[in-house]
Amino acid sequence: MQARPGGWARNPLMEFDQLLSEMSGLMESTVGGAATAVAWTPLADVTESDDAFHVEIELPGVRSKDIDVEANGQEVVVTGEIKEKERKGVLRRSTRRTGAFEYRLRLPGEVDTEKINAQMSDGVLAITVPKAEVAKPRHVEISEKSESTGSSG
């Protein structure tokens, strides 16, 4: 990684995500209403522990009843819609996303779809996807084999 002035290292994935966001904004401003029919992807973090995958998706202002979470095999799909607010007066500037959103995640291991848990708190949807028993790492104890029981011949 190259250091930028000020000591920050470059993050190509963050730069790519920013480029996609800027291109999406350009499309929306150029095409107008046609681009708003396409679902946008909310920001999210995915972490993995020994027994589960944890997904946190930023959905400020969205009620849990307006969100749908589905799991099929190794894929988790979160969909919903943020409706445009009725406003009084003239809207001078808006950078908030509205319309249909969709977040898709394909997990790298087998999961237990029957035990998935989703909770909404402070505008963040937290989803816990437990790993299947076969996918969990298992510590194997190593036993000592006594050499005195071996045959001498």
Side-chain angles (χ1 to χ4, degrees):
M1 290 192 184
Q2 296 174 340
R4 285 188 170 171
W8 293 95
R10 286 182 60 205
N11 183 342
L13 293 176
M14 187 180 292
E15 289 178 7
F16 183 70
D17 190 43
Q18 183 179 1
L19 177 64
L20 284 176
S21 177
E22 289 173 4
M23 288 174 58
S24 176
L26 181 62
M27 287 280 293
E28 286 178 17
S29 65
T30 305
V31 180
T36 56
V38 177
W40 55 274
T41 303
L43 300 175
D45 288 335
V46 180
T47 57
E48 179 180 1
S49 63
D50 286 343
D51 59 349
F53 296 96
H54 306 277
V55 185
E56 291 184 340
I57 304 172
E58 290 185 9
L59 295 169
V62 181
R63 295 177 298 202
S64 57
K65 69 177 190 169
D66 295 331
I67 302 170
D68 185 45
V69 179
E70 291 186 10
N72 186 7
Q74 292 174 275
E75 187 174 48
V76 175
V77 180
V78 178
T79 56
E81 183 175 4
I82 297 178
K83 295 181 173 44
E84 184 73 35
K85 285 182 168 182
E86 279 191 41
R87 302 184 192 279
K88 295 179 181 173
V90 178
L91 180 63
R92 297 290 182 183
R93 180 179 177 158
S94 177
T95 57
R96 298 171 85 189
R97 295 251 180 163
T98 57
F101 62 84
E102 178 180 85
Y103 180 81
R104 289 183 170 270
L105 174 65
R106 182 151 183 88
L107 296 166
E110 293 297 319
V111 297
D112 188 350
T113 56
E114 295 298 318
K115 295 181 182 172
I116 292 177
N117 179 19
Q119 294 182 344
M120 190 73 167
S121 176
D122 296 329
V124 176
L125 176 64
I127 304 170
T128 302
V129 185
K131 292 181 180 178
E133 289 295 322
V134 294
K136 289 183 184 177
R138 186 173 79 85
H139 181 75
V140 178
E141 290 292 327
I142 301 172
S143 60
E144 290 288 329
K145 183 175 179 183
S146 168
E147 291 185 32
S148 63
T149 58
S151 61
S152 60

